[in-house]
Amino acid sequence: MKILSLASKLSLQSPMLVDKFKSDEIMVISPLDDSINAKFIKCEISAMSYALALIGLEFGFDGKFWNELDEGELSGESNIGEEELPQICEFIKNCDICIISDEIFASNEDSVKAILSLLKTKFGFKIVNLNGDEIELNGQLTELEPIPNYDNAVIFTHPHCDEFRAGSYFGIAAKLKNGDEITINSSQKDIKATLKIDSNIKGTIGFLGFEGAKYGFEILKFSR
């Protein structure tokens, strides 16, 4: 089977699905690297709406929403290039399952749901959540709002462990070092955490786990 994953880090968010589809062909569109065997397409944080709109244009979707889109802006903001786009579309043509997770709806939720529904109708794949349950998405195509700016150190929140882990580039961007104890002012709650620098993590995105956390990206805000 061909599996399209839009989850940010599938090995963290759903090890069950990674194991279930380990023998299948997987394509991932995400801001994060992962350890699974897949073809990775890097997408900017919160830019899934722009990526999907670009895909819809490539497939020739038309109407008022589509006619007002700027292909160059979509490509630049999502970071999906002209070489990668045909690869994605060719994969989607024969896709069997699309895996989604809540954080892809952080920006332009209605349009993300609407475009995924259009692609599902056109190509017949199933849309499943991180539990592997098939779901239906209902949304309307609305003018795309600008995506948030994530130029500084960013955290990806998740509920799988109580840990604050990031790579060395994150430490440089945040002006933090291994073992620093800080209070992170997340939009979900304030959390006391100790940074663990992990040389295996690349880029300026760190991982903050705590009980009850929702999946999502945030600019790091903290106090000492």
Side-chain angles (χ1 to χ4, degrees), residues 168-194:
S168 57
Y169 288 109
F170 176 96
I172 293 169
K175 298 181 180 179
L176 294 170
K177 61 183 185 300
N178 186 56
D180 277 354
E181 297 181 2
I182 60 174
T183 297
I184 298 175
N185 309 118
S186 164
S187 63
Q188 300 176 50
K189 63 187 290 189
D190 289 347
I191 304 147
K192 291 184 178 180
T194 301

mmCIF file of all heavy atoms in Angstrom, residues 168-194:
data_model
loop_
_atom_site.group_PDB
_atom_site.id
_atom_site.type_symbol
_atom_site.label_atom_id
_atom_site.label_comp_id
_atom_site.label_asym_id
_atom_site.label_seq_id
_atom_site.Cartn_x
_atom_site.Cartn_y
_atom_site.Cartn_z
ATOM 1 N N SER A 168 21.603 20.920 19.573
ATOM 2 C CA SER A 168 22.530 22.011 19.892
ATOM 3 C C SER A 168 22.139 23.322 19.213
ATOM 4 O O SER A 168 22.318 24.405 19.789
ATOM 5 C CB SER A 168 23.958 21.622 19.511
ATOM 6 O OG SER A 168 24.029 21.272 18.135
ATOM 7 N N TYR A 169 21.602 23.257 17.997
ATOM 8 C CA TYR A 169 21.188 24.488 17.312
ATOM 9 C C TYR A 169 20.041 25.169 18.037
ATOM 10 O O TYR A 169 19.949 26.398 18.077
ATOM 11 C CB TYR A 169 20.804 24.197 15.862
ATOM 12 C CG TYR A 169 21.983 23.882 14.976
ATOM 13 C CD1 TYR A 169 22.207 22.602 14.494
ATOM 14 C CD2 TYR A 169 22.901 24.877 14.629
ATOM 15 C CE1 TYR A 169 23.298 22.309 13.702
ATOM 16 C CE2 TYR A 169 23.996 24.597 13.835
ATOM 17 C CZ TYR A 169 24.190 23.306 13.369
ATOM 18 O OH TYR A 169 25.277 23.021 12.593
ATOM 19 N N PHE A 170 19.156 24.358 18.621
ATOM 20 C CA PHE A 170 18.077 24.907 19.435
ATOM 21 C C PHE A 170 18.665 25.654 20.627
ATOM 22 O O PHE A 170 18.243 26.772 20.958
ATOM 23 C CB PHE A 170 17.163 23.779 19.922
ATOM 24 C CG PHE A 170 16.059 24.220 20.850
ATOM 25 C CD1 PHE A 170 14.795 24.489 20.365
ATOM 26 C CD2 PHE A 170 16.284 24.338 22.221
ATOM 27 C CE1 PHE A 170 13.774 24.892 21.216
ATOM 28 C CE2 PHE A 170 15.276 24.744 23.075
ATOM 29 C CZ PHE A 170 14.023 25.017 22.572
ATOM 30 N N GLY A 171 19.658 25.035 21.277
ATOM 31 C CA GLY A 171 20.295 25.667 22.424
ATOM 32 C C GLY A 171 20.911 27.009 22.073
ATOM 33 O O GLY A 171 20.789 27.986 22.824
ATOM 34 N N ILE A 172 21.551 27.060 20.907
ATOM 35 C CA ILE A 172 22.159 28.322 20.461
ATOM 36 C C ILE A 172 21.088 29.377 20.208
ATOM 37 O O ILE A 172 21.199 30.525 20.639
ATOM 38 C CB ILE A 172 23.006 28.083 19.193
ATOM 39 C CG1 ILE A 172 24.208 27.206 19.520
ATOM 40 C CG2 ILE A 172 23.457 29.410 18.598
ATOM 41 C CD1 ILE A 172 24.954 26.702 18.296
ATOM 42 N N ALA A 173 20.021 28.971 19.507
ATOM 43 C CA ALA A 173 18.942 29.914 19.177
ATOM 44 C C ALA A 173 18.243 30.431 20.426
ATOM 45 O O ALA A 173 17.858 31.597 20.503
ATOM 46 C CB ALA A 173 17.935 29.255 18.234
ATOM 47 N N ALA A 174 18.090 29.552 21.426
ATOM 48 C CA ALA A 174 17.373 29.923 22.645
ATOM 49 C C ALA A 174 18.301 30.492 23.715
ATOM 50 O O ALA A 174 17.830 30.956 24.754
ATOM 51 C CB ALA A 174 16.649 28.697 23.205
ATOM 52 N N LYS A 175 19.619 30.435 23.452
ATOM 53 C CA LYS A 175 20.632 30.860 24.427
ATOM 54 C C LYS A 175 20.504 30.057 25.721
ATOM 55 O O LYS A 175 20.501 30.582 26.840
ATOM 56 C CB LYS A 175 20.522 32.364 24.701
ATOM 57 C CG LYS A 175 20.765 33.206 23.457
ATOM 58 C CD LYS A 175 20.672 34.694 23.737
ATOM 59 C CE LYS A 175 20.929 35.490 22.457
ATOM 60 N NZ LYS A 175 20.821 36.962 22.682
ATOM 61 N N LEU A 176 20.381 28.731 25.530
ATOM 62 C CA LEU A 176 20.288 27.794 26.640
ATOM 63 C C LEU A 176 21.351 26.715 26.482
ATOM 64 O O LEU A 176 21.755 26.408 25.365
ATOM 65 C CB LEU A 176 18.901 27.145 26.686
ATOM 66 C CG LEU A 176 17.710 28.049 27.009
ATOM 67 C CD1 LEU A 176 16.403 27.291 26.775
ATOM 68 C CD2 LEU A 176 17.790 28.553 28.440
ATOM 69 N N LYS A 177 21.752 26.125 27.594
ATOM 70 C CA LYS A 177 22.732 25.041 27.538
ATOM 71 C C LYS A 177 22.187 23.816 28.249
ATOM 72 O O LYS A 177 21.184 23.885 28.988
ATOM 73 C CB LYS A 177 24.062 25.470 28.151
ATOM 74 C CG LYS A 177 24.011 25.851 29.606
ATOM 75 C CD LYS A 177 25.376 26.317 30.085
ATOM 76 C CE LYS A 177 25.390 26.599 31.581
ATOM 77 N NZ LYS A 177 24.440 27.646 31.978
ATOM 78 N N ASN A 178 22.823 22.699 28.038
ATOM 79 C CA ASN A 178 22.395 21.443 28.648
ATOM 80 C C ASN A 178 22.312 21.583 30.171
ATOM 81 O O ASN A 178 23.221 22.096 30.817
ATOM 82 C CB ASN A 178 23.389 20.333 28.295
ATOM 83 C CG ASN A 178 22.923 18.968 28.777
ATOM 84 O OD1 ASN A 178 21.837 18.526 28.433
ATOM 85 N ND2 ASN A 178 23.735 18.307 29.595
ATOM 86 N N GLY A 179 21.188 21.155 30.736
ATOM 87 C CA GLY A 179 20.993 21.206 32.178
ATOM 88 C C GLY A 179 20.342 22.471 32.692
ATOM 89 O O GLY A 179 20.033 22.565 33.893
ATOM 90 N N ASP A 180 20.115 23.456 31.836
ATOM 91 C CA ASP A 180 19.456 24.685 32.276
ATOM 92 C C ASP A 180 18.027 24.378 32.741
ATOM 93 O O ASP A 180 17.267 23.694 32.051
ATOM 94 C CB ASP A 180 19.407 25.713 31.143
ATOM 95 C CG ASP A 180 20.689 26.509 31.026
ATOM 96 O OD1 ASP A 180 21.576 26.353 31.890
ATOM 97 O OD2 ASP A 180 20.811 27.301 30.066
ATOM 98 N N GLU A 181 17.680 24.917 33.887
ATOM 99 C CA GLU A 181 16.333 24.771 34.427
ATOM 100 C C GLU A 181 15.556 26.059 34.187
ATOM 101 O O GLU A 181 15.991 27.131 34.604
ATOM 102 C CB GLU A 181 16.382 24.449 35.920
ATOM 103 C CG GLU A 181 17.058 23.121 36.232
ATOM 104 C CD GLU A 181 17.076 22.805 37.715
ATOM 105 O OE1 GLU A 181 16.514 23.613 38.498
ATOM 106 O OE2 GLU A 181 17.644 21.768 38.086
ATOM 107 N N ILE A 182 14.431 25.956 33.515
ATOM 108 C CA ILE A 182 13.642 27.137 33.165
ATOM 109 C C ILE A 182 12.158 26.842 33.372
ATOM 110 O O ILE A 182 11.750 25.693 33.562
ATOM 111 C CB ILE A 182 13.869 27.567 31.695
ATOM 112 C CG1 ILE A 182 13.463 26.434 30.731
ATOM 113 C CG2 ILE A 182 15.316 27.990 31.466
ATOM 114 C CD1 ILE A 182 13.522 26.830 29.259
ATOM 115 N N THR A 183 11.363 27.899 33.341
ATOM 116 C CA THR A 183 9.908 27.754 33.309
ATOM 117 C C THR A 183 9.441 28.120 31.910
ATOM 118 O O THR A 183 9.628 29.260 31.467
ATOM 119 C CB THR A 183 9.216 28.654 34.338
ATOM 120 O OG1 THR A 183 9.620 28.263 35.652
ATOM 121 C CG2 THR A 183 7.701 28.519 34.233
ATOM 122 N N ILE A 184 8.886 27.152 31.201
ATOM 123 C CA ILE A 184 8.408 27.380 29.841
ATOM 124 C C ILE A 184 6.979 27.884 29.896
ATOM 125 O O ILE A 184 6.105 27.267 30.507
ATOM 126 C CB ILE A 184 8.491 26.087 29.010
ATOM 127 C CG1 ILE A 184 9.946 25.627 28.900
ATOM 128 C CG2 ILE A 184 7.902 26.302 27.612
ATOM 129 C CD1 ILE A 184 10.124 24.302 28.193
ATOM 130 N N ASN A 185 6.758 29.028 29.286
ATOM 131 C CA ASN A 185 5.426 29.635 29.263
ATOM 132 C C ASN A 185 4.700 29.197 28.003
ATOM 133 O O ASN A 185 4.532 29.951 27.047
ATOM 134 C CB ASN A 185 5.546 31.158 29.323
ATOM 135 C CG ASN A 185 6.433 31.623 30.471
ATOM 136 O OD1 ASN A 185 7.468 32.256 30.269
ATOM 137 N ND2 ASN A 185 6.054 31.285 31.697
ATOM 138 N N SER A 186 4.250 27.934 28.010
ATOM 139 C CA SER A 186 3.507 27.385 26.877
ATOM 140 C C SER A 186 2.105 27.969 26.854
ATOM 141 O O SER A 186 1.570 28.400 27.886
ATOM 142 C CB SER A 186 3.443 25.860 27.001
ATOM 143 O OG SER A 186 2.453 25.316 26.154
ATOM 144 N N SER A 187 1.499 27.978 25.687
ATOM 145 C CA SER A 187 0.109 28.438 25.575
ATOM 146 C C SER A 187 -0.836 27.500 26.311
ATOM 147 O O SER A 187 -1.970 27.863 26.627
ATOM 148 C CB SER A 187 -0.300 28.533 24.100
ATOM 149 O OG SER A 187 -0.262 27.257 23.495
ATOM 150 N N GLN A 188 -0.369 26.277 26.594
ATOM 151 C CA GLN A 188 -1.210 25.300 27.283
ATOM 152 C C GLN A 188 -1.094 25.402 28.806
ATOM 153 O O GLN A 188 -2.073 25.266 29.524
ATOM 154 C CB GLN A 188 -0.845 23.885 26.816
ATOM 155 C CG GLN A 188 -1.038 23.680 25.326
ATOM 156 C CD GLN A 188 -0.598 22.312 24.859
ATOM 157 O OE1 GLN A 188 -0.978 21.288 25.441
ATOM 158 N NE2 GLN A 188 0.209 22.265 23.803
ATOM 159 N N LYS A 189 0.134 25.654 29.303
ATOM 160 C CA LYS A 189 0.374 25.807 30.741
ATOM 161 C C LYS A 189 1.824 26.207 30.950
ATOM 162 O O LYS A 189 2.649 26.091 30.040
ATOM 163 C CB LYS A 189 0.066 24.507 31.492
ATOM 164 C CG LYS A 189 0.958 23.340 31.076
ATOM 165 C CD LYS A 189 0.545 22.017 31.694
ATOM 166 C CE LYS A 189 0.795 21.939 33.162
ATOM 167 N NZ LYS A 189 0.578 20.568 33.707
ATOM 168 N N ASP A 190 2.148 26.679 32.139
ATOM 169 C CA ASP A 190 3.533 26.948 32.498
ATOM 170 C C ASP A 190 4.150 25.664 33.040
ATOM 171 O O ASP A 190 3.550 24.977 33.876
ATOM 172 C CB ASP A 190 3.617 28.048 33.557
ATOM 173 C CG ASP A 190 3.254 29.413 32.997
ATOM 174 O OD1 ASP A 190 3.190 29.546 31.758
ATOM 175 O OD2 ASP A 190 3.040 30.338 33.793
ATOM 176 N N ILE A 191 5.355 25.341 32.556
ATOM 177 C CA ILE A 191 5.974 24.066 32.894
ATOM 178 C C ILE A 191 7.421 24.292 33.300
ATOM 179 O O ILE A 191 8.193 24.911 32.561
ATOM 180 C CB ILE A 191 5.946 23.101 31.687
ATOM 181 C CG1 ILE A 191 4.521 22.922 31.197
ATOM 182 C CG2 ILE A 191 6.571 21.760 32.029
ATOM 183 C CD1 ILE A 191 4.417 22.710 29.723
ATOM 184 N N LYS A 192 7.799 23.773 34.469
ATOM 185 C CA LYS A 192 9.201 23.789 34.859
ATOM 186 C C LYS A 192 9.898 22.614 34.185
ATOM 187 O O LYS A 192 9.417 21.479 34.243
ATOM 188 C CB LYS A 192 9.330 23.686 36.377
ATOM 189 C CG LYS A 192 8.833 24.917 37.111
ATOM 190 C CD LYS A 192 9.062 24.811 38.614
ATOM 191 C CE LYS A 192 8.604 26.076 39.313
ATOM 192 N NZ LYS A 192 8.805 26.004 40.797
ATOM 193 N N ALA A 193 11.014 22.896 33.529
ATOM 194 C CA ALA A 193 11.675 21.851 32.743
ATOM 195 C C ALA A 193 13.188 22.045 32.758
ATOM 196 O O ALA A 193 13.685 23.166 32.921
ATOM 197 C CB ALA A 193 11.162 21.874 31.305
ATOM 198 N N THR A 194 13.889 20.943 32.584
ATOM 199 C CA THR A 194 15.350 20.961 32.487
ATOM 200 C C THR A 194 15.752 20.522 31.083
ATOM 201 O O THR A 194 15.359 19.438 30.635
ATOM 202 C CB THR A 194 15.979 20.009 33.522
ATOM 203 O OG1 THR A 194 15.578 20.417 34.834
ATOM 204 C CG2 THR A 194 17.497 20.053 33.426
#
